[in-house]
Amino acid sequence: MSTSLRCGRVAALLLAGSVIAAACGTDAEESEAATTTTPAPAQAAAPEQSVPTEAPSSTGEDGTPGGSAPPGGSAPADPAAPPADPAPDEAAEPVAPAGPVGSMAARYLRPSGSERVLVQVLAQDGAGPRTAAPERVRQVLAQLSGKSVAVAAAGVGVGGGARSWTSEELRSLADESAPAQTAEQAVLTLLYLRGGFAENERAVGVAVRGDVAAVFAERVDEAAGMLGNPSAVEDAVTMHEVGHLLGLVDLVLDTGRQDPEHPGHSPNRGSVMYYAVESTLLGSVLSGGPPRDFDQADLDDLARIRNG
Ligand SMILES: [Zn+2]
């Protein structure tokens, strides 16, 4: 449950306990595309929102589960202030900070969006990634975008232990340690953390901004409890959250195919974008294990986004 960007649906989403919020007033796709290569100081990013991924809560599938993300979290970064870190590249031009989930899809996928993509992994000790999930993200992203994609993970640790993370804290973590977005390089940050998401205790993963997603180790174990395969869960959840960052489902396009019960998700149980993939109730919903890949409809959407 989580996502949707059409304003009209935002309220419904929030009520649904879902997470991804969208920026109202902003037609994500187009506006983002516009910011894509524009080095100009961006207009303020729309109200950020997290797209948690939620869990099919037993009580809340359509009610508000334990924690819907508040709309309008604070904007990520002060639009007036450039990101703190100096761009790694010599003459890298800073670009507008990422907006809501889905807002970076064009930058990641379109040839005009960026020359290359960096998958920045930030992790706490003991939180993973325990699989090659980031490497699979690199491969899939390279294939989808036709761009050079690299994974940076070494040496960037996150201190502290298990805790309940808010959307704002997750965004701040990325801003503190990941390289800034530049016109040449689009950065996608994956956080592997201990604990869980403060706004939805069943979320195994969550996308909290156009360029930031998190996977929670303890929730991975919980979701894997009935399946006995945490690696499969971590891998699937990582790809699921990346799918949201790439605009799935209907965060950028408006195909009408998203699961009406779980906005932002695929109605196909065989797609990694099925809502239950990011829920701790995964095992009880998908007894055969989580789907790991995008289905054809997802791939068709991604191709459309790429081709503009
Ligand atoms: Zn999701």
Side-chain angles (χ1 to χ4, degrees), residues 1-3 20 51-54 240-241 244 264-265 273 275 278:
M1 0 220 228
S2 337
T3 342
I20 291 188
V51 175
T53 330
E54 286 211 23
H240 179 105
E241 302 310 332
H244 283 317
H265 295 101
M273 296 313 296
Y275 81 98
E278 65 189 354

Side-chain angles (χ1 to χ4, degrees), residues 34-58:
T35 58
T36 310
T37 51
T38 310
Q43 53 271 73
E48 288 252 337
Q49 309 197 315
S50 27
V51 175
T53 330
E54 286 211 23
S57 75
S58 40

